Amino acid sequence: MTDSSFTALHDTALRGFASDNYSGVHPQVLAAMAAANDGHQVSYGEDVYTARLHEVMAEKFGRPVEVFPVFNGTGANVLALQSLLPRWGAVVCAATAHINCDENGAPERVGGMKLLAVPTPDGKLTPDLIDKEAWGFGDEHRAQPLAVSITQTTELGTCYTPEEVKAIADHAHSLGMKVHMDGARLANAAAHLGVPLRAFTSDAGVDVLSFGGTKNGLMFGEAVVALNPEATDGLIYLRKMNMQLASKMRFISAGFIALLEGDLWLQSAGHANAMATRLRAAVEGLDGVVPTQPTQSNGVFAILPEGVADRLREAFRFYDWNEAAREVRWMCSFDTTEADIDTFAEAIRAELSR
Ligand SMILES: Cc1ncc(COP(=O)(O)O)c(C=O)c1O
């Protein structure tokens, strides 16, 4: 059954800094998927891998949780938020949130909720910032702000401490609001903070989590995790309705198990973070490079002199973050090497001194 005649169509030595999605599948994840491949298993999540994933997640979060593996992060966010809200609900989020900027309006169009976006200096909400939109409760003219969504780590590479998450959750709950965490880079946060996952999620009062897998080495797949199942409603139906119910779910679950049963998730994220820290150290202080955010995960954000980014991009892929400000984003992955960083940093130095 195995056809080994397939050859890669791309240059397999090429790595860039555009996105932690540009990397491939972690070999241990691929091996787990292959091990789960033979024979038949019941589809749509009634398989032994998805059952085991529930146990693994319950261990991680220190309580029984409901786990809903899905295809992607946008889907996870939409259905997690839908599960928290009535039809008239609105979500307070940072203006930079992925749900607000990078999901093509899916929370509004597909999820049917209103987003109330608050500008922040660093991608992080605070109780005071939440209050800018958490008002008008009971006013029929205003979409009801009944949930808060925070991103960990944020889209700007910054990281909430467990105390900051708890302060947000306590505040939100005191207002009758529920708390969602977009954890597309949850593992990077755990690696940065050096605390167990539960310290800044379940123990801090997050109600529902979009648990990222893809950026941490899965082929594809995230999981909606109801940490406080009482706060959610209808996730099982919403997943299907949102076209996120995988028939061959065992492969998403097997990948997650490979990440989470041991410490692969943490090793990989810690490595990606360390590579970003190395890059930051290499460019810090270079004349012309102005870092714009603290490096607290696997990304470096910086402003470059006119033209430098485009010339660097002739050899290395990466994105502008804010084109008008000449701010770029450099992302590292589980497979970024020290040599990748050193070569790139040297190219930046050479370009700056041209
Ligand atoms: C903060 C954040 N949330 C969610 C996602 C997931 O998006 P996707 O729908 O592409 O899997 C991403 C991916 O870039 C992200 O950065």
Side-chain angles (χ1 to χ4, degrees):
M1 295 274 286
T2 313
D3 176 5
S4 57
S5 64
F6 191 88
T7 48
L9 298 176
H10 70 290
D11 175 355
T12 54
L14 200 68
R15 281 186 293 266
F17 301 91
S19 168
D20 32 5
N21 283 337
Y22 273 44
S23 53
V25 184
H26 193 285
Q28 282 175 245
V29 170
L30 215 46
M33 293 173 81
N37 189 40
D38 284 339
H40 288 198
Q41 269 290 289
V42 188
S43 52
Y44 297 112
E46 296 292 315
D47 60 272
V48 293
Y49 300 95
T50 305
R52 173 69 190 136
L53 181 60
H54 272 82
E55 293 170 1
V56 172
M57 289 277 195
E59 279 163 31
K60 281 271 172 292
F61 295 109
R63 64 186 63 185
V65 291
E66 291 178 6
V67 184
F68 300 85
V70 295
F71 290 113
N72 61 32
T74 301
N77 288 340
V78 169
L79 76 98
L81 289 169
Q82 270 189 322
S83 79
L84 297 181
L85 294 172
R87 293 261 303 143
W88 49 91
V91 181
V92 178
C93 63
T96 44
H98 199 265
I99 55 172
N100 191 44
C101 301
D102 290 303
E103 299 188 355
N104 195 5
E108 287 101 337
R109 292 159 194 260
V110 180
M113 67 199 66
K114 183 168 176 61
L115 296 183
L116 301 168
V118 184
T120 71
D122 54 4
K124 287 163 68 169
L125 287 176
T126 61
D128 284 348
L129 288 172
I130 290 167
D131 283 347
K132 292 194 184 296
E133 289 292 350
W135 52 270
F137 296 101
D139 176 356
E140 70 186 292
H141 299 283
R142 178 157 162 85
Q144 294 294 287
L146 295 175
V148 172
S149 178
I150 57 177
T151 312
Q152 178 78 317
T153 57
T154 71
E155 292 75 4
L156 299 177
T158 51
C159 189
Y160 289 95
T161 64
E163 295 72 30
E164 287 170 334
V165 176
K166 187 167 185 323
I168 286 171
D170 287 349
H171 186 63
H173 291 150
S174 77
L175 296 172
M177 302 170 80
K178 295 170 181 171
V179 181
H180 165 250
M181 179 178 277
D182 176 349
R185 297 188 182 88
L186 201 71
N188 302 88
H192 173 73
L193 295 168
V195 299
L197 270 184
R198 56 183 290 179
F200 58 94
T201 54
S202 41
D203 289 356
V206 173
D207 292 305
V208 68
L209 176 66
S210 302
F211 195 139
T214 314
K215 295 176 198 299
N216 197 211
L218 292 197
M219 182 179 289
F220 58 85
E222 321 274 297
V224 175
V225 185
L227 301 171
N228 174 16
E230 308 262 284
T232 66
D233 193 22
L235 271 167
I236 191 147
Y237 307 110
L238 290 167
R239 178 172 55 179
K240 180 70 184 189
M241 217 175 84
N242 284 300
M243 297 163 279
Q244 289 287 327
L245 179 61
S247 54
K248 293 193 180 180
M249 199 183 294
R250 68 168 133 154
F251 297 103
I252 303 178
S253 300
F256 262 120
I257 293 169
L259 285 182
L260 297 175
E261 247 184 349
D263 62 0
L264 180 59
W265 64 286
L266 199 56
Q267 293 284 340
S268 293
H271 175 79
N273 289 2
M275 291 304 99
T277 302
R278 186 180 182 92
L279 179 57
R280 171 73 179 246
V283 300
E284 188 105 65
L286 289 182
D287 205 16
V289 179
V290 183
T292 52
Q293 294 292 339
T295 300
Q296 297 176 338
S297 55
N298 59 327
V300 177
F301 292 72
I303 292 173
L304 298 177
E306 184 79 45
V308 168
D310 284 340
R311 289 198 295 275
L312 281 169
R313 268 192 284 254
E314 288 166 18
F316 304 90
R317 291 286 302 245
F318 61 87
Y319 291 115
D320 287 323
W321 183 254
N322 177 345
E323 206 175 338
R326 296 196 315 274
E327 184 184 17
V328 298
R329 183 189 78 159
W330 295 319
M331 297 303 291
C332 300
S333 263
F334 68 84
D335 64 347
T336 304
T337 65
E338 291 187 354
D340 292 335
I341 298 294
D342 298 347
T343 307
F344 186 45
E346 189 44 49
I348 297 170
R349 260 183 241 115
E351 199 50 64
L352 288 168
S353 59
R354 249 165 60 122

